[in-house]
Amino acid sequence: MASATGTLPAAAPVAPAPGTLPEAVPAAVPTAVTLIASDLDRTLIYSAAALGLTMPDAEAPRLLCVEVYQRKPLSYLTETAAALLAALPPHAVFVPTTTRTREQYRRIRLPGPDARYAICANGGHILVDGVSDPRWQRTVAARLADECATLDEVRAHLLAAADPAWLLKERVAEDLFAYLVVERALLPEGWVRELAEWADGRGWTVSLQGRKIYAVPKPLTKSAAMREVARRTGADRVLAAGDSLLDADLLLAADRAWRPGHGELAETGWSAGHVDLLEEKGVRAGEEILRRFSSSVHPNPA
């Protein structure tokens, strides 16, 4: 990643002319910026069904609810994980990086200060102080128009190929990609593989996560959005974590990354040289990932 450096000013700053923006004052000491781009669901936060609490009840970790949906608690992390997240060094830029839509992301209340940047819709939106950046939206729209089949074509195929016997819901996210909610036990063997082969020739990728089958344009990636945030923040190093096929490009683009012991990547044996494969599963994996983030942030020279 590009290095963020500063130099000593040669002279006292000059006041800007009326009606002009002041120039940035160079930093007296270089500041090393570490960007932490982490998937959320089943990486840092977990639904009740995904917690993976295999220990005796009396030994289960204390949990903090970080998401409520329809007036019911939905997502959790351990209290230890919450403390680790809130205590990340101030020169580490934490960027939630999710396939969730903006509306779904805004339901989450993570510990610590609000993230200045967030990546939603699998890279389709970069939020800056909660607002989607219009320049990035235009960049994404141009790439999708040039490089892959339309959402309408893919959605029509999904609906035609799905069986009402196991299809529970069909949704379009942010007018960027589509997904099905299915009865996993009734899903025919090989159906997802056949769908992935069909989609691949049209510039799309398919991912099965729990009860959801995602169809996402290949140019729509978390890594592309992460690189843009790294450019804007001057980050010289990127740490990342994720559990699904849609996180693979993010992990590959990072300087160092972690994969939990559960999820789509673990089930397929996916690995890379700079990606640590954790043994922990469920909410304990989220806690360990945050522990690794904390210990891997470079000290601030200042």
Side-chain angles (χ1 to χ4, degrees):
M1 307 305 302
S3 177
T5 60
T7 58
L8 290 172
V14 179
T20 64
L21 292 175
E23 293 292 330
V25 178
V29 180
T31 300
V33 178
T34 300
L35 189 147
I36 300 174
S38 182
D39 176 49
L40 295 179
D41 293 281
R42 292 172 59 87
T43 297
L44 292 190
I45 66 175
Y46 293 79
S47 67
L51 287 171
L53 300 178
T54 58
M55 68 290 291
D57 290 347
E59 299 175 14
R62 287 167 60 96
L63 301 172
L64 175 68
C65 178
V66 292
E67 180 185 14
V68 172
Y69 180 55
Q70 295 182 343
R71 301 177 179 85
K72 296 179 181 179
L74 182 60
S75 298
Y76 306 83
L77 42 63
T78 69
E79 287 191 349
T80 299
L84 288 166
L85 180 56
L88 287 174
H91 62 284
V93 180
F94 175 66
V95 183
T97 305
T98 180
T99 304
R100 285 181 177 230
T101 65
R102 288 170 289 174
E103 179 181 357
Q104 292 167 336
Y105 167 71
R106 287 168 180 147
R107 295 198 303 253
I108 300 172
R109 294 292 180 266
L110 294 172
D114 291 339
R116 173 79 195 280
Y117 294 95
I119 295 168
C120 294
N122 211 64
H125 290 278
I126 294 176
L127 305 188
V128 184
D129 294 327
V131 179
S132 183
D133 184 272
R135 290 179 300 166
W136 183 251
Q137 289 184 44
R138 291 192 292 270
T139 298
V140 169
R143 287 200 63 189
L144 298 188
D146 290 343
E147 300 177 28
C148 55
T150 66
L151 173 62
D152 287 344
E153 179 184 347
V154 174
R155 185 185 181 195
H157 181 82
L158 284 174
L159 291 175
D163 189 333
W166 46 260
L167 177 61
L168 302 178
K169 299 177 184 177
E170 181 267 342
R171 294 287 186 270
V172 169
E174 302 272 18
D175 291 324
L176 292 169
F177 61 91
Y179 64 92
L180 307 178
V181 181
V182 303
E183 190 65 59
R184 183 76 177 262
L186 301 179
L187 189 65
E189 183 177 356
W191 191 88
V192 174
R193 183 179 64 255
E194 292 174 5
L195 175 64
E197 292 172 355
W198 178 90
D200 182 65
R202 290 159 179 80
W204 286 61
T205 189
V206 171
S207 174
L208 174 61
Q209 301 180 39
R211 297 193 306 159
K212 292 182 178 179
I213 301 172
Y214 290 91
V216 179
K218 289 183 180 180
L220 189 68
T221 64
K222 293 180 177 181
S223 61
M226 176 274 286
R227 290 189 181 97
E228 175 63 14
V229 175
R231 184 189 68 81
R232 296 186 189 192
T233 59
D236 62 347
R237 189 163 182 259
V238 175
L239 309 178
D243 71 295
S244 80
L245 179 63
L246 295 176
D247 296 315
D249 67 285
L250 177 67
L251 304 189
L252 290 172
D255 296 292
R256 190 173 182 190
W258 291 268
R259 188 210 76 185
H262 62 259
E264 196 176 25
L265 295 179
E267 291 168 2
T268 59
W270 184 93
S271 65
H274 66 287
V275 179
D276 290 351
L277 311 182
L278 302 180
E279 295 182 0
E280 290 84 357
K281 299 179 180 180
V283 72
R284 287 290 198 189
E287 183 178 305
E288 181 61 22
I289 286 167
L290 281 163
R291 192 173 287 112
R292 301 293 184 98
F293 282 157
S294 297
S295 64
S296 300
V297 174
H298 282 329
N300 186 350

